Amino acid sequence: IECGVLAGRIILETSSNTTYQQLQELQALMQKHDLTYAALVTNRWHIPRVRIIIETRFPDLITGVKLLSAEDILLDEDSPRWKDVLEEAYRSTFLAERIAMEEEGILQIKNGTYKFW
C-alpha cells in the first residue's frame, strides 16, 4: 500500500506454513477470484526454489505468477534506508547458511528427494 498498490488488489494469505502450502493456497485463491495474474513477494534468496517448485508441482502458475524480490522492492522504495541493512544481512553467516539450504532444496527437487508437505 505504501508503494502505491491499491488495498483492494492485495490478498494476504495467512493459512500456510510452508512454501508448498503457500503455492497451494495461491493456486486456490487465483481460481476463487478468477485471477490470471498474481505477484508473489518473497526474499531474493528464496525465489529460485519457489520457481522450481512452481515448475515441478504447479505448472498452471508458471505464466500467471510473477516472483518479486522483497529486497528489490525495499531498495526501489528507499535505497538509502535499506541498502546497508540488506548488504549486512547478505554478509551474515546465518543468511549464507540459509542460502545453502535453499540450494540444497533445489538439488533435492531436481533429483526427486525433496519432501513436499
Side-chain angles (χ1 to χ4, degrees):
I1 293 170
E2 289 178 20
C3 293
V5 177
L6 298 174
R9 298 198 60 184
I10 298 172
I11 300 171
L12 181 62
E13 187 280 304
T14 60
S15 62
S16 63
N17 293 310
T18 67
T19 302
Y20 185 78
Q21 291 171 346
Q22 182 184 36
L23 291 169
Q24 286 178 312
E25 292 296 320
L26 176 60
Q27 189 170 47
L29 284 168
M30 288 181 73
Q31 290 171 351
K32 177 182 176 182
H33 296 282
D34 196 29
L35 302 173
T36 56
Y37 171 81
L40 191 151
V41 180
T42 191
N43 296 100
R44 182 185 303 144
W45 49 263
H46 188 52
I47 288 176
R49 186 166 62 89
V50 175
R51 184 175 290 119
I52 196 164
I53 293 173
I54 290 172
E55 290 170 357
T56 59
R57 295 294 176 125
F58 299 94
D60 292 344
L61 298 180
I62 291 172
T63 59
V65 175
K66 182 173 182 175
L67 301 175
L68 302 176
S69 160
E71 295 90 333
D72 290 345
I73 292 169
L74 292 172
L75 291 170
D76 286 347
E77 184 64 21
D78 192 350
S79 184
R81 177 178 176 193
W82 292 106
K83 184 177 184 292
D84 291 341
V85 172
L86 292 171
E87 287 177 357
E88 181 178 340
Y90 272 83
R91 286 191 304 268
S92 72
T93 301
F94 171 81
L95 197 49
E97 291 171 355
R98 181 64 198 174
I99 291 169
M101 288 174 41
E102 290 289 312
E103 291 169 350
E104 178 61 27
I106 291 168
L107 291 175
Q108 290 174 1
I109 293 167
K110 288 179 178 180
N111 69 26
T113 61
Y114 189 82
K115 304 289 187 219
F116 293 98
W117 307 110

